[in-house]
Amino acid sequence: MDRKASTPKPATVYLKDYQPPAWQIEAVELEFDLDPQATRVRSRLQFRRAPETGPDTPLHLDGEALELLGIALDGEPLTADRYRLDEAGLEVRGLPETGVLEIETRINPSANTELSGLYTSSGNFCTQCEAEGFRRITFYPDRPDVMARFTTTLRADKVATPVLLSNGNPIASGELEDGRHYVTWQDPFPKPCYLFALVAGDLGWIRDRFVTRSGREVDLYIYVQKHNLDKCDHAMASLKHAMRWDEEVYGREYDLDRYMIVAVDDFNMGAMENKGLNVFNSRYVLARPDTATDADYQNIESVIGHEYFHNWSGNRVTCRDWFQLSLKEGFTVFRDQEFSSDMNSRGVQRIGDVNILRTHQFREDAGPMAHPVKPDHYVAIDNFYTVTVYNKGAEVVRMLHTLLGTEGFRRGCDLYFERHDGQAVTTDDFVNAMEAATGVSLQQFRRWYDQAGTPELELERHYDPQARTCALTLRQHCPPTPGQSDKQPFHIPVAMGLCDREGRALPLRLYGEAAAGGESRVLELCREEETFVFQDIPAEPVPVLLRGFSAPVKLALDYTDAELALLSAHERDPFCRWEAGQTLARRLLLTHPPQALDADTARPLIEAARRTLADTALDPALRALALTLPAEGYLAEFVDPIEPEQLHTARQALRLTLSRALRPDLEACYEQLTETGAYSPDAASAGRRRLRNLCLSYLIACEDDSAYQLALRQYEQAGNMTDSLAALQALVNSDCPQREAVLEDFYSRWQQDTLVVDKWLSLQATADRADTLERVQALTGHPAFSLTNPNKVYALLRAFAQGNPVGFHQASGAGYRFIGEQIRTLDGRNPQVASRLAAAFTDWRRYNPTRQAGMRTELEKMRDAGGVSRDLYEIAARSLGDDTGTD
Ligand code: B3K
Ligand code: ZN
């Protein structure tokens, strides 16, 4: 390897090396004198040596980018021989069993471009401490199994910084000299430092109240920049729904007197569940009908719910170490998915969640970054906030729910919260509680946490007309992943049913059972191969497997086209019904060259689509999903090598064929769904808009004047952002002569609204045009863009690199060079954002040799750059196949 000698290889952290903390911190008092360039932080740590720790063991305090101003033990300054300061932190020797360590540091929030620790956003102070940001605020044992009670005093200029917030409840406040003021906050719940937060600035707020079911009154606040005060109502309503839902479904109440949410424009990810003081990326808070789309409204509800649910699954019960991240994230994603299902449409939600999993997580699981839900080593933990830890982790919890049933699962959760309230625990503790509460053995099930890779399932079916039996043989196999060549069989719940040739469900009686038990059941596949024999089956049935997508597996089925058509018309499970239609479309797309995808070839699909369009009894959102062709990213999973333009051309060709064949039907559906009333983000209204806008996107594929006029009219008359943006998107992806003028109009109308400008950037980055790369390059110099704001980077650069496969993978390699360069520049400022962007290069081996070479060169440049961050190093090195699992 030719890494620069000056850059040492970043160290790897292993799960097997976990040691309990030698010292505990029982209480922390923090004092902040806030100043954008020079904030002074005084901390008083009340420490205690753990019983099993030897008296000579030093206390290690993590610290990064801190200026140490003073250190004292029990009121006496510490002499230099008692502590050692290095790049990783501070080591203090010769401490008594208990005592108080006082440390004073100075930090520069305005120079903090990493947005980890204390930083400024739009002139306000805010923090992000998960996973390892607290060490950038003060010296501290920055690990989740050190839990302490925090008391925090904030002092700042009263005029510039009237609002001073931290975790818990305010216990004192007052005026100080020189126009400054202070507020002291106390959080009665012991917590790891990653849940610490402070926010200070000139903010406006809305306030509401929630009465818990035991009668406790909770004040709810949402703080935003004042010009955004008219965009907070949906977030507040979502919060109240989430609080009620957690009481009803999990029996969990909120536990402090106030719950605060703050929206900031500069934030590396979506939001953060700090105790009592959530900090959010403003895109997951702010919504007004004219500025936010239905998808935004939906995402806000889900992210507000997610962070709220963390109060129990994450905060009251937290993670022992970062390898256990899915303990809180997988569980909480499952909880937010179920919340959204209950608030909206379960079928639509499930299909959306499966889409994310199969398009992104399956891909991760099949590439060089594949890791188990519980990873066993990392270089930079921030790289493991992945679709595997979050979304596959949620699928694992969902499988527990399926295997244990709603009641058993609830008993398991109750026991888990009861046993571990106030503790930092492991995924094993979670599964143990499920076992103890239900008596079900989950011994083998635990492999889902330890083995990476997506299991592949094969079905062989045999119908015996004499015996009237149908035998289903299921076989599982999991391909090797980096560092794991041999896999043991998984415990897989397969929710299923059988139907006759008219699509009617058949009663299910397994061999040996006295009577049939329902029309749907869960088979448990535990061995590599198992056969399930169903009796009393009058004629050869059609098996329906993985209802509700009951396990995160790839299922190969030998359905005929006729069987798929039958299921897509009659199956009652929305996921399986949708899946049948998608499989039909996928077969067409992958087995015919684009020019052959004409109306004759696509006849069965056209007829199915015509029926769907006209089926007014079916939820419009489900109709829209059924009519949406499989995404290019999903199709890519089925081809080798991936030829992005080929997949794109095929999909466009089929879209055009459908559009031409169904034009009157599309127009009729579009007209029928035209609404004039006031905007409401509810699921039914959003579903109608979704279907109508899908019709528009098909119609514009015809590229004629009447289609353009339709889109232009919609753009001009739209009463909400959903319709306005859909029209703009249709136009931007077309050759409509007015496309540039409309884009300009949109920008001039919305240039003051940073979140709307993000949409404008993304539309251009994903535009289906030959000159998109040049456009994106030019936009990096536009006033609307900034490399220091993560949302702008995601809206323009990530949208291009990950949402525009044709542009990014263009044969010249120019897309790779451009994004590679941006990543290297970004790495010096914000490594987390840089490494997220680098994910676009990870599965370089899936492409043809020319593309491989282009992508590989960029990865090597990233890995070998002098001063590369740990984050980017890990992504680049692992992508290139370097083993980061051994030092
Ligand atoms: N727990 C945070 C994510 C923190 C990411 C740190 N790089 C948000 C969430 O999952 O709720
Ligand atoms: Zn989370």
Side-chain angles (χ1 to χ4, degrees), residues 362-364 366-368 554 633-644 841-849 851-852 855:
F362 281 15
R363 194 158 189 172
E364 181 167 274
K554 289 183 185 165
Y634 180 59
L635 294 171
E637 288 306 288
F638 298 85
V639 295
D640 183 33
I642 303 172
E643 293 293 346
F841 291 91
T842 293
D843 46 12
W844 58 284
R845 283 203 172 84
R846 301 280 314 274
Y847 296 86
N848 69 27
R851 291 196 171 98
Q852 283 192 15
M855 294 174 87

Side-chain angles (χ1 to χ4, degrees), residues 529-582:
E529 179 180 316
E530 281 182 63
T531 300
F532 302 87
V533 180
F534 292 92
Q535 294 187 295
D536 312 328
I537 308 294
E540 177 154 20
V542 182
V544 191
L545 268 80
L546 286 186
R547 281 198 169 133
F549 197 63
S550 62
V553 298
K554 289 183 185 165
L555 173 62
L557 281 170
D558 57 350
Y559 284 136
T560 61
D561 285 0
E563 286 174 326
L564 288 173
L566 179 86
L567 293 178
S568 81
H570 298 290
E571 167 58 12
R572 64 186 186 182
D573 175 66
F575 166 74
C576 285
R577 179 176 175 152
W578 168 80
E579 171 74 342
Q582 294 287 297

Side-chain angles (χ1 to χ4, degrees), residues 217-519:
E217 291 191 355
V218 184
D219 289 322
L220 312 175
Y221 291 87
I222 297 182
Y223 292 88
V224 295
Q225 293 176 64
K226 287 178 183 150
H227 62 267
N228 287 325
L229 273 169
D230 60 346
K231 297 184 191 137
C232 302
D233 293 346
H234 178 65
M236 185 62 95
S238 302
L239 174 60
K240 290 195 283 183
H241 290 149
M243 294 177 87
R244 191 60 76 212
W245 185 87
D246 212 14
E247 293 185 345
E248 285 169 0
V249 180
Y250 283 82
R252 299 287 127 196
E253 275 192 29
Y254 187 59
D255 51 13
L256 285 165
D257 298 341
R258 57 163 80 199
Y259 192 87
M260 299 174 281
I261 290 174
V262 184
V264 299
D265 285 338
D266 303 275
F267 206 65
N268 283 344
M269 60 298 156
M272 179 62 211
E273 69 265 23
N274 317 297
K275 183 79 188 185
L277 177 56
N278 288 185
V279 179
F280 270 62
N281 187 322
S282 53
R283 66 185 297 230
Y284 293 119
V285 174
L286 305 177
R288 214 174 52 195
D290 59 333
T291 62
T293 61
D294 292 334
D296 295 324
Y297 274 84
Q298 178 64 57
N299 287 336
I300 289 168
E301 181 181 78
S302 131
V303 180
I304 293 261
H306 180 98
E307 306 311 329
Y308 175 73
F309 302 140
H310 267 315
N311 190 54
W312 275 96
S313 49
N315 300 3
R316 287 288 285 260
V317 182
T318 194
C319 300
R320 185 192 75 171
D321 54 72
W322 292 121
F323 299 103
Q324 319 297 329
L325 186 56
S326 197
L327 174 76
K328 73 178 179 82
E329 295 305 348
F331 187 18
T332 305
V333 171
F334 172 70
R335 277 152 59 69
D336 85 52
Q337 290 177 348
E338 286 297 294
F339 167 59
S340 295
S341 295
D342 287 345
M343 295 295 120
N344 304 287
S345 149
R346 181 159 287 271
V348 173
Q349 178 72 28
R350 189 64 190 135
I351 292 167
D353 291 335
V354 175
N355 255 336
I356 294 173
L357 189 85
R358 294 203 300 201
T359 319
H360 302 289
Q361 198 281 325
F362 281 15
R363 194 158 189 172
E364 181 167 274
D365 237 354
M369 272 301 289
H371 54 275
V373 168
K374 179 165 75 177
D376 55 13
H377 67 279
Y378 59 76
V379 171
I381 184 57
D382 287 317
N383 285 329
F384 286 82
Y385 288 72
T386 57
V387 270
T388 298
V389 167
Y390 274 63
N391 302 63
K392 186 175 180 183
E395 293 301 319
V396 172
V397 176
R398 181 175 298 279
M399 286 190 286
L400 284 172
H401 184 274
T402 303
L403 289 168
L404 305 176
T406 303
E407 274 177 35
F409 181 78
R410 170 67 194 271
R411 281 202 306 281
C413 292
D414 288 352
L415 183 62
Y416 167 72
F417 289 127
E418 185 189 313
R419 274 185 178 175
H420 300 298
D421 190 8
Q423 297 177 0
V425 301
T426 63
T427 56
D428 239 10
D429 292 315
F430 182 74
V431 181
N432 286 344
M434 293 289 157
E435 278 185 322
T438 59
V440 174
S441 168
L442 298 166
Q443 190 60 24
Q444 185 186 355
F445 185 84
R446 283 178 166 76
R447 286 183 190 145
W448 283 108
Y449 286 97
D450 300 319
Q451 293 189 145
T454 308
E456 293 166 2
L457 223 59
E458 240 179 57
L459 171 73
E460 206 182 287
R461 42 182 167 153
H462 177 73
Y463 178 68
D464 180 340
Q466 263 80 50
R468 291 162 49 98
T469 58
C470 169
L472 301 181
T473 300
L474 287 166
R475 225 168 275 127
Q476 59 167 306
H477 162 80
C478 185
T481 50
Q484 288 187 339
S485 40
D486 287 324
K487 313 273 183 179
Q488 301 299 310
F490 289 90
H491 181 172
I492 304 176
V494 181
M496 54 79 63
L498 297 174
C499 66
D500 67 16
R501 300 282 149 175
E502 266 77 54
R504 284 184 300 249
L506 296 168
L508 302 176
R509 178 158 84 97
L510 269 173
Y511 184 78
E513 290 178 348
E519 293 165 349

Side-chain angles (χ1 to χ4, degrees), residues 205-221:
W205 64 88
I206 66 161
R207 187 178 164 178
D208 208 326
R209 178 158 289 197
F210 181 84
V211 181
T212 70
R213 73 178 175 171
S214 69
R216 168 198 262 280
E217 291 191 355
V218 184
D219 289 322
L220 312 175
Y221 291 87

Side-chain angles (χ1 to χ4, degrees), residues 457-775:
L457 223 59
E458 240 179 57
L459 171 73
E460 206 182 287
R461 42 182 167 153
H462 177 73
Y463 178 68
D464 180 340
Q466 263 80 50
R468 291 162 49 98
T469 58
C470 169
L472 301 181
T473 300
L474 287 166
R475 225 168 275 127
Q476 59 167 306
H477 162 80
C478 185
T481 50
Q484 288 187 339
S485 40
D486 287 324
K487 313 273 183 179
Q488 301 299 310
F490 289 90
H491 181 172
I492 304 176
V494 181
M496 54 79 63
L498 297 174
C499 66
D500 67 16
R501 300 282 149 175
E502 266 77 54
R504 284 184 300 249
L506 296 168
L508 302 176
R509 178 158 84 97
L510 269 173
Y511 184 78
E513 290 178 348
E519 293 165 349
S520 190
R521 61 201 298 162
V522 178
L523 305 178
E524 295 186 30
L525 174 65
C526 293
R527 281 172 284 156
E528 239 157 63
E529 179 180 316
E530 281 182 63
T531 300
F532 302 87
V533 180
F534 292 92
Q535 294 187 295
D536 312 328
I537 308 294
E540 177 154 20
V542 182
V544 191
L545 268 80
L546 286 186
R547 281 198 169 133
F549 197 63
S550 62
V553 298
K554 289 183 185 165
L555 173 62
L557 281 170
D558 57 350
Y559 284 136
T560 61
D561 285 0
E563 286 174 326
L564 288 173
L566 179 86
L567 293 178
S568 81
H570 298 290
E571 167 58 12
R572 64 186 186 182
D573 175 66
F575 166 74
C576 285
R577 179 176 175 152
W578 168 80
E579 171 74 342
Q582 294 287 297
T583 308
L584 259 183
R586 192 182 79 215
R587 276 189 190 168
L588 270 179
L589 287 164
L590 297 179
T591 49
H592 295 83
Q595 63 280 12
L597 289 167
D598 55 21
D600 281 341
T601 317
R603 187 61 54 203
L605 197 69
I606 292 170
E607 290 318 317
R610 197 189 309 279
R611 276 195 305 274
T612 304
L613 269 173
D615 185 357
T616 46
L618 190 63
D619 175 357
L622 286 173
R623 283 151 74 194
L625 281 165
L627 291 162
T628 306
L629 295 173
E632 286 158 41
Y634 180 59
L635 294 171
E637 288 306 288
F638 298 85
V639 295
D640 183 33
I642 303 172
E643 293 293 346
E645 68 287 316
Q646 220 165 294
L647 291 176
H648 182 71
T649 316
R651 197 172 181 276
Q652 293 299 92
L654 187 54
R655 201 172 71 115
L656 181 58
T657 298
L658 284 167
S659 168
R660 287 195 178 129
L662 296 169
R663 187 155 190 168
D665 310 74
L666 290 162
E667 283 168 348
C669 187
Y670 180 91
E671 288 308 328
Q672 189 196 24
L673 290 166
T674 303
E675 278 177 19
T676 47
Y679 173 85
S680 158
D682 67 89
S685 312
R688 288 191 291 272
R689 282 187 289 272
R690 185 171 184 167
L691 180 55
R692 184 168 180 262
N693 285 324
L694 184 83
C695 291
L696 177 68
S697 82
Y698 269 112
L699 287 167
I700 203 124
C702 291
E703 296 280 359
D704 60 26
D705 194 53
S706 91
Y708 296 155
Q709 290 311 322
L710 195 67
L712 286 166
R713 199 177 63 220
Q714 177 167 324
Y715 177 75
E716 275 151 26
Q717 296 175 356
N720 58 71
M721 181 51 80
T722 306
D723 290 338
S724 167
L725 197 70
L728 180 63
Q729 179 166 28
L731 292 165
V732 167
N733 288 317
S734 77
D735 287 326
C736 172
Q738 288 95 326
R739 70 183 287 281
E740 288 300 330
V742 181
L743 259 176
E744 256 175 58
D745 174 78
F746 189 85
Y747 181 69
S748 63
R749 208 189 289 183
W750 292 112
Q751 55 184 304
Q752 302 307 330
D753 190 312
T754 182
L755 295 175
V756 181
V757 171
D758 291 345
K759 300 179 195 303
W760 179 79
L761 291 170
S762 285
L763 275 190
Q764 295 175 82
T766 53
D768 186 8
R769 317 272 309 171
D771 64 350
T772 294
L773 173 60
E774 289 72 39
R775 184 70 167 244

